Amino acid sequence: DFSEINKSAMDAIKEFVNKKPLSVISVSSKAGGWEVLVEVLERAAVPDTQNLIGIYRVEFDKAKKLSGYKRVEVRRKGDTGSEERA
């Protein structure tokens, strides 16, 4: 299930956000379905440590159908970000 959800989340980001997904950083099974956090390249910069990385929450229902997505954080590549996200 995780592999399928990971792929679905990456595909949703490519299609709906139209930006390059970098990696899945979290997958959680929720009562109503699934929640996936995906890192996305928001803006490339030189040096690349100044790249802006967005964190998107992608949600799926129990049937693994996309139910929503939202950018929840933006940070520079070199920043570690917070452990707990909104």
Side-chain angles (χ1 to χ4, degrees):
D1 280 345
F2 283 139
S3 294
E4 183 181 342
I5 290 296
N6 283 356
K7 182 178 180 340
S8 295
M10 297 285 269
D11 290 346
I13 292 296
K14 283 183 213 173
E15 182 177 352
F16 297 111
V17 179
N18 198 27
K19 295 189 182 199
K20 181 182 178 184
L22 299 174
S23 63
V24 170
I25 59 172
S26 172
V27 178
S28 301
S29 175
K30 302 289 182 178
W34 296 87
E35 178 182 282
V36 183
L37 294 179
V38 179
E39 288 185 317
V40 174
L41 180 62
E42 294 285 344
R43 186 193 66 175
V46 176
D48 70 348
T49 55
Q50 296 300 306
N51 286 357
L52 291 181
I53 306 297
I55 307 294
Y56 284 77
R57 179 189 304 127
V58 184
E59 297 173 336
F60 298 90
D61 64 17
K62 289 180 184 179
K64 300 177 187 163
K65 301 280 187 206
L66 180 67
S67 60
Y69 66 92
K70 178 181 180 180
R71 186 173 67 191
V72 294
E73 183 178 339
V74 177
R75 62 176 176 79
R76 294 196 190 282
K77 182 180 178 182
D79 296 343
T80 59
S82 63
E83 287 298 316
E84 293 295 319
R85 291 183 170 75

